[in-house]
Amino acid sequence: MTWLITGGAGYIGAHVARVMAGAGERVVALDDLSAGVPARLPADVPLVRGSSGDAEVLKRVFAEHAVTGVVHLAARKQVGESVEQPTRYYEENVGGLATLLDAVAGAGIRRFLFSSSAAVYGNPDVELITEDTPCAPMSPYGETKLAGEWLVRAAGRAHGIATVCLRYFNVAGAASPELADTGVFNVVPMVFDRLTRDEAPRIFGDDYPTPDGTCVRDYIHVADLADAHLAAARRLSAPDASGDLTVNIGRGEGVSVRELVTLIGEVTGDIRPAVVEARRPGDAPRAVASAARAGRELGWTARRPVRDMVESAWRGWLLHHGR
C-alpha cells in the first residue's frame, strides 16, 4: 500500500503521517498549505503542494506515487465560520470530496479513509453516543461531514471501494511540541490564549443539567487519534477488505468544561477563576462517545489521559506562542 494523506501537513494530518510512516507504511502528503506546515512532516514523507479538489493534481499524484489508498483529512472545519459561509463549506467539503472520489475511482484505488466528526450527531439526549445514534447536525460544518459520509459510502458501493469513516470527538494535545495545534479555535488553545493575554478563562454557561452545570465533552489525544487512523488503514489494507465501516473515535469518558479549565490551571500554574458567560447557541449539555465499536472492529482503544493532552498542548503552545 501507498497512502495519500490529504491535509497531510496539518495539525491532525502530520500526526497521522508520522504514525503511519513510523509503522512502515508508505505515505505521501497532499496539502495546499492554507493551514499546513511543511516542517511538521518527517523528512522521508514527500509533500505535494496542491488541493484535494483539483482533479489534475490528483491524477498526477496518484500516478507518480502509485497511490493505492487515500486518507482524506483536508477540509474546512470551523463551526462558526460554516454558519457565516455555508456555501463555501459545501463547495469545499462536499464538492471537493466528490472530485476526489471521482479521481479515486478513475485511478482504480480501492481503499478510502474519511475524516468525519461527532458534529454529525448534533445534540442527542443520550448518555453515550453510539454510531447508531440518529444524526441531526446543528451547523453547516456538521451537515457537510454527514453528507460527506453519505457520498463516501455511495461511491464505495458504486466502485467497489472499501471505506472507513472515523467520527472524531474533541481533539487536543500533541505528540511533540512542534506538532501542536497553532490555531485558537478549540477549547484548550482558547484557554491558553486567554491566560497568555492575562485574562481569565471563559466558561459559556454553568446551568446545564450536568454535575457541575457546565458542558461535558469527550476529549481525545491527537496521538491516540493518529493511532486509530493506522488501525483503520491496516484494516483497509487486508486483501479481502470490502464494504464500509463507521466508527466513533473518543475515550468514552466525559470531562466537564469546568474540570478541564481547572486542569489547565494546574498545568500552567495560572489558577485564576474562570468567568462565566451566557450559553452559546447550540452547545449540547453532554457529548461523550461510545468507543466500543472501535475496540471491536479496529482493535483500538485510547490510551492517553486528559492530563497528558493538556500538558503536551501547553508545551506546544509555549514553543509557538510563548507565555
Side-chain angles (χ1 to χ4, degrees), residues 3-298:
W3 292 94
L4 176 71
I5 303 178
T6 71
Y11 166 52
I12 294 174
H15 279 89
V16 173
R18 287 200 176 200
V19 164
M20 292 183 65
E25 300 289 340
R26 290 193 297 273
V27 171
V28 57
L30 174 67
D31 202 300
D32 65 6
L33 301 185
S34 58
V37 179
R40 285 174 169 153
L41 288 166
D44 59 348
V45 172
L47 171 62
V48 177
R49 182 167 184 173
S51 169
S52 59
D54 186 325
E56 290 304 314
V57 169
L58 293 170
K59 184 177 180 180
R60 174 171 56 84
V61 172
F62 290 162
E64 289 181 0
H65 295 275
V67 171
T68 52
V70 172
V71 179
H72 182 47
L73 300 171
R76 304 205 67 82
K77 60 178 184 178
Q78 301 306 324
V79 170
E81 183 183 63
S82 78
V83 174
E84 298 168 356
Q85 303 177 39
T87 55
R88 182 183 186 187
Y89 269 65
Y90 272 87
E91 181 179 8
E92 295 192 26
N93 288 5
V94 182
L97 174 60
T99 298
L100 173 59
L101 287 167
D102 278 344
V104 164
I109 296 168
R110 296 294 179 259
R111 307 288 186 269
F112 196 91
L113 175 53
F114 179 61
S115 164
S116 189
S117 167
V120 301
Y121 294 115
N123 185 5
D125 185 16
V126 294
E127 186 72 12
L128 290 177
I129 297 172
T130 74
E131 292 83 357
D132 297 321
T133 298
C135 293
M138 299 177 66
S139 68
Y141 167 68
E143 292 166 4
T144 64
K145 284 299 183 181
L146 183 57
E149 290 187 10
W150 294 340
L151 186 53
V152 166
R153 296 187 196 107
R157 291 190 297 269
H159 303 291
I161 303 169
T163 65
V164 174
C165 297
L166 300 183
R167 291 173 174 171
Y168 310 168
F169 279 67
N170 297 268
V171 184
S176 57
E178 68 274 13
L179 295 183
D181 189 359
T182 56
V184 187
F185 304 109
N186 299 316
V187 62
V188 173
M190 287 173 68
V191 174
F192 291 164
D193 183 56
R194 297 278 295 184
L195 297 179
T196 300
R197 291 188 284 114
D198 199 29
E199 297 175 359
R202 292 186 295 179
I203 292 176
F204 296 99
D206 65 351
D207 58 349
Y208 287 93
T210 59
D212 66 13
T214 66
C215 294
V216 173
R217 295 289 182 267
D218 190 329
Y219 296 95
I220 177 74
H221 197 301
V222 67
D224 280 331
L225 177 63
D227 290 341
H229 283 76
L230 174 62
R234 290 275 168 86
R235 177 189 172 103
L236 287 171
S237 297
D240 59 348
S242 62
D244 62 85
L245 176 67
T246 300
V247 180
N248 287 338
I249 302 298
R251 294 174 62 248
E253 299 176 10
V255 177
S256 76
V257 173
R258 189 175 294 281
E259 289 172 332
L260 182 66
V261 169
T262 298
L263 178 56
I264 291 173
E266 294 173 3
V267 169
T268 62
D270 190 329
I271 58 173
R272 74 184 77 191
V275 174
V276 177
E277 300 186 2
R279 292 186 183 190
R280 294 182 302 188
D283 275 351
R286 178 181 174 86
V288 180
S290 166
R293 182 180 291 181
R296 290 194 311 271
E297 298 290 344
L298 301 180

Side-chain angles (χ1 to χ4, degrees), residues 176-180 313-323:
S176 57
E178 68 274 13
L179 295 183
W314 180 237
R315 289 191 292 270
W317 179 270
L318 292 177
L319 175 66
H320 294 290
H321 301 274
R323 286 187 176 273

